[in-house]
Amino acid sequence: MASHDHRLDDEIQFHIEQQTAKNIRAGMRPDDARRAALVQFGGVEQTREAARDEFRGAMVRDFLRDMRIGLRTLARVPAFAAATILTFGLGLGAATAMFSVVHGVLLTPLPYPQSDRIVRLYQIGKTGGRGNTSGPNFTDWRAGTHAFSHMTLMSNWGRVPVLGFGEPMLLPAAAVSPEFFSTMGVRPQQGRGFTAAEAAEDPARVAVVSAGLWERAFAGAPLAGQHVTILGQPVTIIGVMPKTFDYPTDTAVWLPLDDSHLAATSRTAHNYQPIARLADGVSLPAAQAELSALSRSLKARYGDETWMYDASAVPLLEVMTGTSRDALFLLLAASVLLLVVAATNVSNMLVARGATRRREFAVQLAIGATSGRIVRQLLAETFALCACGALFGLVIAAAAVRLVAAAGPAGAPRLDAVSVDWTSALFAVVASIAASSFLAIVTAYSGRSARIAEALSEDGRSGSAGRRQIRMREGMIVLEVALTLVLLAGAGLLARSLGTLLAVNPGFRTDDALIVDVTMQEERTPEDVSRRVTRQNEMVAKVNALPGVTRTALISSFPIGSGFYPDGQFVEMTRPDEFTSFEQMVALGPALKPRLGYAGYRLANGDYFNVMGIPLLSGRLIDDRDGPGSPEVAVISKALADAKWPGQDPIGRYVQFGNMDGDVNGIRIVGVVGNVREESLEAPPAQTLYASYRQRPRGAQSFSLVVRGPAPKTIVDVVRRTIHDVDPQVPIEIRTVTAALDTATGGRRFTFELIGAFAACALALAALGIYGLVAFMVAQRTREMGIRMALGAEPVSLVRLVVTRGVALAAAGAVLGLALALALTGTVKSLLYGVKAADPAIHTIVVILVVVVASLASYVPARKILRQTPGKTLRDI
């Protein structure tokens, strides 16, 4: 603006001097002539403001005129305009889409009042891991802290059987204490929440449901009098939550949880997830310090009984999105790199077009146009291209966001709420302005006027300006290749990581079979348990007898992605009847510490290990002799045997998992089987104990049938009907082993596919850039090549010369890109499995790939030299 003011002052002064001279020539004295001129222009300040307004108006008019001219110019070259708009729109669309996802998932506050003050409380274990808390620990937190205005409990029950909506369904449910909804700051949109009296009822008689479930099941019906059956118990729906309320994620039913008697429960039963709201004026660090001090004092008072060495308060948004944060920020960075590659490619295209218009510019200069006028015209064309590219990019972003939301991995948080909103549009505008400014600088530099006679005589194919443009384009090609290599290296590392993960032996057969997840109604008496076991046996027998079924097994939950808990506590026993009650065992406390162990707890039938292909390493498997009334037996995984009894034979030892079902009878270990990866493919083999579901049935209310056959997908309907023939009220979900494994690797696969797509686009753009540069160089040096051939040069050697130049540029870009990739290894380290971020094989492969693609992109336009003859060249001179 300062330079504009100087220009305006000079212009005003010029007009005043001109009018003063006219007044003097008219016979006025100099002083009077000066004063009259000032009066005529309304004073210096008024004149300056008027001139400034006129200058601004002229600038706007000139800009709009230049834009119209630029659009008409581009309309005459539709192929060039379409290529640049598509290239720029592709890069901007990818970046805008990923920004929309990152903003919607990670940066947008949760839809609850002052959601940044809602925190999840965790116990911190000996190794620093975060976990749930026990009732007594929570009670001490609530009584001993002042940093929180609300503190409530939640227990995520997973999927529970619900009747009353037509076909039996499994719906995600959570039990919450009465203060849960007030802690979250949300009230039901219909009805109400829970009272303390309702929470104390066992079983629960009331429930609150999600808006989505209400609309599907009872749309338009009055709330009063609506009943369903949950876990075999009749329940009245008393409230419906707003559509925006979704915690825990995807929960459809909330049941009341009584938190008034938690102090009397065991400190070792870590079943609860506390939620709290910071008190007014209390910062998160202050609350964290108070909670941590109290937790360490509890540890000092109760020792190992607390299973707690510290505690932490984590913002709820971070809890919900923590597992996705690194991957999403990496994808955003990759999309921005693609945008830079696209902008660099467009700049190359603009420079190339500018080179072909040098004669046009020279003619304009010759007939009186200024160099500034030509630069303004080029800038207007550039901004017009970027504006069109930005509009196209928003269309791509909207489509890409819908694709990401639909194809995102199972369990990814908040993807359904992601959209291209005003913040995404603002990001696109800012990114477009930044990119167009960069392109404008390149365009202005390349459009600097050359000597008129030189431009006219060179026919646009040589000279210092042409060499300057070539050097500029070469520099941009090096940058483009470098950024492309960074993307390729990231995609290569993720691909190898995914391949390494898929090659992991999960410990069981991975050829396809049906996984039939069944949840039966809750039983209240031993007779209910006995009837349930009878129905389970009948289901296994009838499914096993179906045509197309070779074998059927039962397991309390299928490995991989089924909520396996690896830290269940067991006690090694000296004899099978050492304890008379679970309470007696708990009372022994520290005396049992040397005999404690931790392992996952599964219930299975005898066919499970054969159906799953889990090998028997020693001893025997569970079989038909291990039924009700016979001594309880179990087999254990090799990982558990090695961890608890290294170098010893565990067969014949007794343990008990009474904390799982209250049964304190000793379980005799009768066999050791191969390891299975229960938690995930990334986790180490689980330490697992497998007991007989017929001997300890209380933990097998929810179970999975593994059904093998030559064509398992063809028998889905008949399996479903067979199970419903046995019990028509059980909800059933059927999937395949392949689908379960795909779900387990879905997050890694999704990240690799997106970055791989970005890398492929960048590689294609880099190849086009090299192709365009080499084609430009060949056109510039056509005469030179012809003269060389006239003097005896071989066409092949000339092709080699041109291709070598393209490869050299790619090699320089590869070296720069390799340095950048190695410097950025930390950004992908957390997403890799079994692969080092500085993997030499991957980096070697991507460098070779870049050089090969550059060679091909250089050779295709260089072939034009082979069609050139000395005679044709001399005739064209």
Side-chain angles (χ1 to χ4, degrees):
M1 180 59 73
S3 62
H4 293 164
D5 288 343
H6 288 312
R7 290 180 59 189
L8 292 172
D9 289 342
D10 292 343
E11 187 172 349
I12 293 169
Q13 187 64 34
F14 172 77
H15 286 298
I16 293 175
E17 295 297 337
Q18 288 276 16
Q19 189 60 42
T20 300
K22 288 181 181 180
N23 292 342
I24 291 174
R25 286 195 297 272
M28 298 178 66
R29 291 185 305 174
D31 291 344
D32 293 336
R34 177 76 174 179
R35 190 176 301 109
L38 292 174
V39 171
Q40 181 175 352
F41 279 96
V44 174
E45 292 301 324
Q46 294 86 343
T47 302
R48 179 184 288 112
E49 188 61 35
R52 182 180 290 114
D53 292 341
E54 175 63 24
F55 182 76
R56 290 169 178 164
M59 288 182 62
V60 173
R61 289 192 298 273
D62 288 346
F63 177 76
L64 293 177
R65 182 189 60 196
D66 290 340
M67 287 289 286
R68 288 194 298 271
I69 295 173
L71 289 172
R72 288 199 300 269
T73 302
L74 293 173
R76 292 195 292 269
V77 283
F80 169 80
T84 52
I85 290 172
L86 288 174
T87 300
F88 185 71
L90 174 65
L92 184 64
T96 302
M98 287 315 308
F99 172 81
S100 300
V101 174
V102 168
H103 182 267
V105 174
L106 302 181
L107 305 180
T108 302
L110 297 172
Y112 315 133
Q114 294 184 303
S115 61
D116 59 320
R117 301 190 66 78
I118 304 175
V119 294
R120 166 83 154 83
L121 306 183
Y122 287 97
Q123 289 189 183
I124 303 298
K126 185 176 183 179
T127 60
R130 300 188 307 199
N132 294 345
T133 190
S134 64
N137 288 346
F138 171 78
T139 302
D140 289 335
W141 283 350
R142 185 164 55 182
T145 58
H146 305 283
F148 306 103
S149 61
H150 296 74
M151 192 179 293
T152 186
L153 275 184
M154 180 190 74
S155 180
N156 197 335
W157 285 10
R159 301 164 71 81
V160 300
V162 180
L163 303 178
F165 302 131
E167 185 175 340
M169 292 189 296
L170 281 174
L171 295 177
V176 297
S177 54
E179 277 199 336
F180 176 76
F181 298 118
S182 60
T183 300
M184 300 295 291
V186 181
R187 293 182 177 181
Q189 67 179 13
Q190 295 185 59
R192 59 177 178 83
F194 306 124
T195 65
E198 290 168 337
E201 293 181 350
D202 185 23
R205 302 296 183 184
V206 293
V208 174
V209 299
S210 68
L213 177 61
W214 179 259
E215 290 175 359
R216 293 197 308 270
F218 301 109
L223 180 63
Q226 299 298 340
H227 302 277
V228 293
T229 299
I230 300 177
L231 293 171
Q233 302 298 325
V235 171
T236 301
I237 298 176
I238 62 170
V240 180
M241 296 305 295
K243 288 184 178 180
T244 55
F245 188 81
D246 186 29
Y247 190 79
T249 303
D250 294 332
T251 297
V253 178
W254 291 268
L255 299 168
L257 171 68
D258 184 13
D259 62 3
S260 61
H261 304 291
L262 295 178
T265 61
S266 171
R267 288 188 183 270
T268 63
H270 298 86
N271 300 321
Y272 304 108
Q273 304 167 34
I275 306 293
R277 180 177 284 272
L278 296 175
D280 293 341
V282 178
S283 66
L284 180 60
Q288 171 64 63
E290 183 184 41
L291 182 68
S292 180
L294 175 59
S295 300
R296 291 195 297 268
S297 69
L298 292 175
K299 170 64 177 176
R301 185 187 311 170
Y302 297 106
D304 290 344
E305 185 183 351
T306 64
W307 283 13
M308 175 175 63
Y309 287 75
D310 206 335
S312 64
V314 183
L316 192 61
L317 177 60
E318 182 179 332
V319 172
M320 296 177 64
T321 61
T323 57
S324 305
R325 186 173 297 270
D326 290 346
L328 289 180
F329 277 124
L330 178 64
L331 288 171
L332 177 61
S335 67
V336 171
L337 285 182
L338 177 60
L339 173 59
V340 175
V341 171
T344 305
N345 197 275
V346 170
S347 68
N348 255 320
M349 298 167 71
L350 291 173
V351 172
R353 174 165 165 74
T356 62
R357 301 174 67 188
R358 291 187 64 226
R359 284 184 61 84
E360 173 191 339
F361 298 151
V363 170
Q364 292 181 23
L365 290 171
I367 62 177
T370 63
S371 59
R373 180 69 189 81
I374 293 175
V375 169
R376 287 205 311 272
Q377 180 182 337
L378 290 173
L379 295 180
E381 293 178 16
T382 301
F383 281 109
L385 284 171
C386 290
C388 294
L391 293 176
F392 179 61
L394 285 174
V395 174
I396 292 179
V401 163
R402 288 194 294 269
L403 180 63
V404 168
R414 310 187 74 191
L415 279 183
D416 56 340
V418 172
S419 63
V420 179
D421 55 10
W422 70 268
T423 55
S424 304
L426 180 62
F427 172 85
V429 169
V430 172
S432 180
I433 291 174
S436 58
S437 299
F438 164 72
L439 296 176
I441 294 172
V442 172
T443 304
Y445 179 78
S446 65
R448 292 186 304 173
S449 63
R451 296 183 181 89
I452 298 174
E454 177 186 328
L456 292 174
S457 63
E458 289 168 357
D459 196 25
R461 291 184 293 184
S462 63
S464 60
R467 288 191 294 272
R468 183 178 66 243
Q469 289 170 343
I470 289 177
R471 288 195 298 271
M472 181 187 299
R473 294 188 68 188
E474 288 178 342
M476 288 186 289
I477 288 295
V478 170
L479 175 62
E480 195 172 352
V481 170
L483 297 179
T484 297
L485 188 136
V486 172
L487 284 173
L488 287 171
L493 288 171
L494 291 174
R496 185 167 184 181
S497 176
L498 180 61
T500 302
L501 184 64
L502 294 176
V504 168
N505 178 13
F508 55 83
R509 290 173 56 184
T510 57
D511 53 315
D512 227 355
L514 292 185
I515 306 169
V516 185
D517 297 318
V518 182
T519 302
M520 306 187 77
Q521 301 299 331
E522 185 175 13
E523 56 268 349
R524 309 293 293 182
T525 66
E527 291 74 18
D528 292 338
V529 176
S530 178
R531 282 192 292 269
R532 189 250 298 162
V533 173
T534 299
R535 290 196 298 271
Q536 286 175 318
N537 291 336
E538 187 177 356
M539 289 178 188
V540 172
K542 287 191 172 183
V543 171
N544 206 36
L546 290 174
V549 174
T550 57
R551 204 150 190 182
T552 304
L554 182 148
I555 184 70
S556 51
S557 60
F558 189 82
I560 305 294
S562 297
F564 178 73
Y565 299 100
D567 57 353
Q569 186 185 68
F570 67 86
V571 177
E572 185 176 0
M573 304 173 68
T574 57
R575 61 182 190 276
D577 57 350
E578 181 177 358
F579 306 116
T580 58
S581 68
F582 184 65
E583 290 71 20
Q584 178 217 2
M585 184 193 69
V586 172
L588 292 175
L592 294 179
K593 184 177 178 180
R595 297 156 59 183
L596 294 181
Y598 301 91
Y601 180 75
R602 298 287 202 193
L603 298 172
N605 69 352
D607 284 340
Y608 174 73
F609 304 98
N610 292 324
V611 170
M612 293 291 288
I614 302 173
L616 175 65
L617 303 181
S618 63
R620 70 172 179 90
L621 297 174
I622 299 169
D623 55 34
D624 291 340
R625 80 189 87 166
D626 305 314
S630 61
E632 296 182 11
V633 299
V635 297
I636 63 173
S637 66
K638 184 177 185 299
L640 176 56
D642 292 341
K644 182 62 179 175
W645 299 283
Q648 304 176 51
D649 185 3
I651 294 177
R653 297 177 185 270
Y654 287 91
V655 298
Q656 78 84 27
F657 258 102
N659 57 312
M660 303 302 294
D661 54 16
D663 187 343
V664 294
N665 290 326
I667 309 173
R668 182 172 180 267
I669 299 173
V670 296
V672 178
V673 296
N675 291 327
V676 171
R677 294 180 186 257
E678 298 271 9
E679 296 177 78
S680 65
L681 293 177
E682 296 98 323
Q687 301 176 30
T688 310
L689 180 143
Y690 303 90
S692 169
Y693 87 100
R694 294 195 302 159
Q695 293 181 328
R696 300 177 72 96
R698 290 186 63 88
Q701 177 182 319
S702 296
F703 59 96
S704 299
L705 297 180
V706 184
V707 183
R708 290 209 176 272
K713 292 182 180 179
T714 64
I715 57 174
V716 170
D717 291 337
V718 67
V719 168
R720 187 187 303 274
R721 287 195 302 269
T722 300
I723 293 176
H724 275 159
D725 286 343
V726 177
D727 189 341
Q729 293 190 330
V730 296
I732 301 171
E733 291 187 342
I734 300 180
R735 52 198 170 118
T736 65
V737 172
T738 300
L741 292 175
D742 287 345
T743 300
T745 59
R748 291 182 180 275
R749 192 187 304 272
F750 180 72
T751 303
F752 158 67
E753 288 173 350
L754 278 185
I755 291 188
F758 295 156
C761 290
L763 183 61
L765 292 177
L768 288 175
I770 294 173
Y771 173 91
L773 176 63
V774 173
F776 180 76
M777 292 169 57
V778 170
Q780 289 275 312
R781 302 175 65 181
T782 299
R783 294 179 179 179
E784 174 193 341
M785 298 298 177
I787 293 173
R788 289 193 178 202
M789 284 189 286
L791 296 176
E794 292 292 333
V796 174
S797 65
L798 298 179
V799 171
R800 186 183 305 115
L801 178 67
V802 173
V803 173
T804 300
R805 183 60 181 168
V807 173
L809 293 175
V815 171
L816 176 60
L818 188 60
L820 289 174
L822 292 174
L824 297 173
T825 53
T827 59
V828 297
K829 187 175 181 180
S830 63
L831 300 175
L832 300 180
Y833 173 81
V835 178
K836 293 182 179 179
D839 189 296
I842 294 297
H843 291 101
T844 301
I845 290 172
V846 297
V847 168
I848 293 174
L849 176 62
V850 166
V851 172
V852 169
V853 170
S855 301
L856 294 174
S858 302
Y859 174 72
V860 172
R863 290 184 305 171
K864 181 180 178 181
I865 298 173
L866 299 176
R867 298 192 295 270
Q868 189 74 12
T869 63
K872 182 178 183 302
T873 301
L874 294 175
R875 285 194 301 271
D876 291 341
I877 294 178

